[in-house]
Amino acid sequence: MPDGADTALVDPRFDGAPDRRGTNCVKWDAMHALYGVPPETGLAMWVADMEFRPPQVVLDAVAGMLDHGVFGYFGDPSRYLAAIRWWMAERHGWQVEDAWIFTTHGLVNGTAMCLDAFTDPGDGIVLLTPVYHAFRKVIDAAGRRVVECPLPIVDGRYVIDRAAIEAHLTGGERMLILCSPHNPGGRVWTRAELETVADVARQRDLVLVSDEIHHDLVMPGHAHVPMALLEGVADRLVMMTATTKTFNIAGSHVGNVIVSDPALRARLAARMAAMGSSPNSFGLHMATAAYSPEGAAWVDDCVRYIDANRRLFDDRVNAIPGLRSMPLEATYLGWVDFEGAGMDREEFTRRVQRDAGIATNHGPTFGAGGEHYLRFNLGAPRAVIEEACARLERAFADLQ
Ligand SMILES: Cc1ncc(COP(=O)(O)O)c(C=O)c1O
């Protein structure tokens, strides 16, 4: 293992994750109902939250609120906005202004707000699939049309290819939603790939929503490029980022929707005002604390730990004939292709859920191209990853 991956092996902050069962967390407490995997004996490796406590600076912020004990309306966002500006500049080389920042009730809500502000019922919304499943949910619910452009796979990884996108466009599209870095494939798109997407958006006159919620969880050796750093795209660009994946505080439900273009901003502001949308103060205090040097140090350690997890997972899963784990460049979401196992989807899913007792996200929910896949959440103590690998080896022992 390279430097860093080793030290992460014994990190009590990540090795000693608390038992979450019985806390009303969806990952463990809805697992049986959704997947038939009992929480007493099963492993929850589905929805994208990690098993780890957030950094102490975030816990202290919440403790400070509890100590005070009065939970009134939030006011004066200046510290919160300054923290966002600092983080984007320090960690991503991207200068943002306070006036560009909208705070939504998370980024699924941010996506829904963008659909409402920038498109009309019946409009086509372009997705490069497979992709984060909630995009489709909100697009369908809003009466817009999903236009799927399956991502080609080259050398075992998804790639963005102009012809592969354009082959599916018919002219009725108004928006393209990009997931960058990519969930579920774990790609960190190159600048050239991002240029391709920006170019398609310009030529087809699409609003470009770049969901960069996973931008902080980038594995060593890869560098994320914020779409906002590209030339000539600002007039159609909506950037979405959040503390929630980075610091494992998804329940705080706060998202940053960052728009530099004044005309787009005016439309979004009008729709958000019409919906009476405002975030909760716990989320704002947690985000303010998280976007800090202490938060940054924790993220660096967390990424090293995830990197060691995914190396272990890839080595063991790829050693099972017929299974192939896509190499993760970012995120903690392992994407495993079962097509080579020579069995249908019901059979490999049954083996993973019933025989191995592991709840994962099912590939087809991510759209075209996800049919033979399951998504495994690797944001867990190393012992859980080892146990999952051992269970998969047993469940697919006949392939050895
Ligand atoms: C790409 C992407 N966007 C958005 C979300 C969810 O965002 P939120 O919890 O802020 O609604 C996720 C969660 O996994 C995600 O992967």
Side-chain angles (χ1 to χ4, degrees), residues 48 105-109 132 135 179 183 211 213-214 242 244-245 250 253-254:
H105 187 65
L107 291 189
V108 175
N109 176 241
Y132 176 53
F135 292 154
C179 188
N183 167 16
D211 180 336
I213 196 168
H214 295 281
T244 49
K245 296 291 143 192
H253 263 299
V254 168

Side-chain angles (χ1 to χ4, degrees), residues 157-399:
R157 290 165 210 248
Y158 292 115
V159 295
I160 290 179
D161 175 82
R162 186 184 191 114
I165 299 173
E166 293 200 318
H168 296 87
L169 305 187
T170 59
E173 298 80 19
R174 287 278 289 283
M175 177 181 282
L176 186 154
I177 305 177
L178 179 71
C179 188
S180 173
H182 183 235
N183 167 16
R187 273 300 313 280
V188 175
W189 305 119
T190 63
R191 186 178 278 270
E193 288 175 309
L194 298 175
E195 294 282 7
T196 297
V197 173
D199 230 38
V200 170
R202 268 191 297 266
Q203 289 210 340
R204 302 277 176 160
D205 195 19
L206 307 176
V207 173
L208 175 53
V209 175
S210 190
D211 180 336
E212 305 195 6
I213 196 168
H214 295 281
H215 66 164
D216 294 310
L217 302 170
V218 172
M219 298 302 117
H222 298 277
H224 168 75
V225 179
M227 183 65 88
L229 296 188
L230 267 54
E231 298 289 325
V233 75
D235 60 339
R236 60 185 64 256
L237 181 62
V238 175
M239 294 283 288
M240 301 205 302
T241 71
T243 45
T244 49
K245 296 291 143 192
T246 307
F247 297 97
N248 202 34
I249 50 176
S252 67
H253 263 299
V254 168
N256 313 314
V257 177
I258 304 178
V259 187
S260 65
D261 180 73
L264 290 179
R265 247 182 7 238
R267 281 158 71 186
L268 186 59
R271 291 311 299 153
M272 287 184 63
M275 294 190 192
S277 160
S278 71
N280 79 79
S281 60
F282 274 90
L284 296 171
H285 281 290
M286 289 166 93
T288 307
Y291 281 154
S292 62
E294 296 90 327
W298 182 92
V299 173
D300 291 341
D301 292 341
C302 185
V303 166
R304 271 196 292 277
Y305 192 89
I306 295 166
D307 188 41
N309 276 3
R310 63 111 194 156
R311 284 164 190 277
L312 168 73
F313 184 78
D314 282 359
D315 285 350
R316 303 242 327 239
V317 168
N318 287 330
I320 303 173
L323 274 54
R324 197 178 54 85
S325 175
M326 210 172 257
L328 276 192
E329 301 170 354
T331 83
Y332 47 80
L333 303 166
W335 185 237
V336 179
D337 182 3
F338 288 80
E339 189 171 19
M343 57 187 78
D344 63 20
R345 196 164 69 75
E346 283 65 34
E347 174 61 10
F348 69 71
T349 305
R350 188 192 62 73
R351 287 189 188 205
V352 171
Q353 282 176 199
R354 289 255 297 279
D355 300 352
I358 303 175
T360 64
N361 287 87
H362 295 181
T365 57
F366 297 83
E371 294 78 6
H372 309 289
Y373 287 81
L374 294 174
R375 194 189 72 176
F376 290 76
N377 185 328
L378 307 180
R382 182 107 352 96
V384 173
I385 308 301
E386 279 168 354
E387 172 66 16
C389 292
R391 290 181 182 204
L392 290 172
E393 284 157 2
R394 282 197 295 277
F396 294 91
D398 56 327
L399 301 180

